[in-house]
Amino acid sequence: MHKTEKSFYSASVDAGFTVEDILVEGRIHTDADVLRALINTEKGDPILAFSPSEAKEMIERVAWVKEAHIERRLPHTIYIGLLERKPMALWQHKGKVRIIDTDGETITDRKKQEFKELPIIVGENAPRQAPGLLSMVALEPELAERMDAASWIGDRRWDITLKSGAVVKLPEGDVALALNRLVKAQKDDGLLDKRVKMIDVREADRIIVQTNPGAVQEYKANYKRGNAI
């Protein structure tokens, strides 16, 4: 810092322009200690010496931060407004589990315990494809609460694994329609409650079901005619 700058900041302190408060809004997952280190400003420091643009650049490099708004609110307050990334799923890939946000971007492979209830996605390009699938599943609460994982198959379509262990094979296109048909089958006949291993909804005119041993007759006796083979 040049002598002229020192004199300027010293004069600004004498005039009462000092840091007394640091106001942070929007912080949920971002580490507070990391923020303090990046801001690197103490109470009583000249507030005019603080650079909002430099702080913004550094804070937006933090994994959880999508966007940051930084400003000096003279005479005493530094304001930090954070827009954090929203965790969407856990991406299981190459022996690691990473938290993925609603844009399909990787956030981190740390701090996973509190997100253990998020759905798991599997597949090389699964993060990019997952926002579309999960937004459609979210529109079907009956299915969403039963979903455990989703695998991106052949870089073209999804298999959903339910908490019961059953696998739902989805088509390449018209996924929303296929999900709706699946939920309708549940409402009409409780399909998702049955002891099944696989439910194939890839064909528009039928649902194919593979049952667990001993459950075939029970399924055929209760499911409405014309919806299964």
Side-chain angles (χ1 to χ4, degrees):
M1 186 180 294
H2 296 298
K3 184 177 181 180
T4 303
E5 288 179 302
K6 289 183 178 180
S7 298
F8 171 76
Y9 291 134
S10 178
S12 71
V13 169
D14 292 338
F17 292 98
T18 58
V19 176
E20 301 299 329
D21 295 295
I22 298 176
L23 175 62
V24 179
E25 292 184 339
R27 188 188 74 82
I28 301 174
H29 304 296
T30 304
D31 192 311
D33 291 335
V34 170
L35 280 181
R36 280 192 287 268
L38 292 176
I39 295 167
N40 193 29
T41 300
E42 302 292 336
K43 186 174 182 178
D45 285 351
I47 194 169
L48 296 182
F50 173 77
S51 171
S53 60
E54 290 180 6
K56 173 182 172 68
E57 182 179 352
M58 290 187 292
I59 290 173
E60 287 184 344
R61 293 175 186 169
V62 176
W64 279 101
V65 178
K66 183 174 183 179
E67 185 178 330
H69 176 72
I70 319 291
E71 62 183 44
R72 291 179 300 214
R73 293 182 175 176
L74 301 178
H76 300 305
T77 302
I78 292 173
Y79 172 80
I80 301 172
L82 300 179
L83 176 61
E84 291 193 338
R85 301 184 184 279
K86 296 180 181 180
M88 174 189 69
L90 302 176
W91 181 33
Q92 185 174 300
H93 186 60
K94 293 185 178 180
K96 287 189 176 183
V97 177
R98 301 169 174 86
I99 301 171
I100 304 300
D101 73 3
T102 50
D103 293 323
E105 298 289 341
T106 298
I107 301 175
T108 180
D109 59 1
R110 299 179 181 179
K111 199 180 179 181
K112 294 187 288 290
Q113 184 60 29
E114 65 185 278
F115 303 108
K116 62 182 180 180
E117 298 303 320
L118 290 176
I120 297 170
I121 59 172
V122 180
E124 182 71 32
N125 296 312
R128 292 293 183 185
Q129 303 296 328
L133 172 70
L134 296 180
S135 64
M136 286 185 282
V137 170
L139 296 175
E140 306 288 357
E142 180 73 24
L143 179 60
E145 65 182 17
R146 295 169 183 266
M147 178 177 166
D148 184 47
S151 299
W152 183 236
I153 306 297
D155 209 22
R156 57 190 179 83
R157 65 168 198 85
W158 289 99
D159 277 357
I160 291 178
T161 301
L162 305 181
K163 293 176 182 177
S164 66
V167 175
V168 178
K169 293 183 176 295
L170 296 176
E172 294 182 41
D174 294 326
V175 174
L177 178 60
L179 293 175
N180 184 261
R181 290 172 55 224
L182 184 62
V183 171
K184 185 177 186 303
Q186 168 63 14
K187 291 179 179 177
D188 289 347
D189 195 48
L191 175 58
L192 302 180
D193 296 323
K194 299 182 184 297
R195 290 177 290 163
V196 298
K197 292 175 62 177
M198 184 273 293
I199 304 171
D200 190 338
V201 290
R202 288 178 291 179
E203 297 184 40
D205 60 346
R206 60 180 178 175
I207 297 176
I208 301 172
V209 175
Q210 180 181 349
T211 60
N212 287 318
V216 177
Q217 294 303 316
E218 174 189 349
Y219 172 75
K220 289 185 176 179
N222 289 282
Y223 197 51
K224 294 185 183 301
R225 183 181 176 184
N227 286 330
I229 291 180

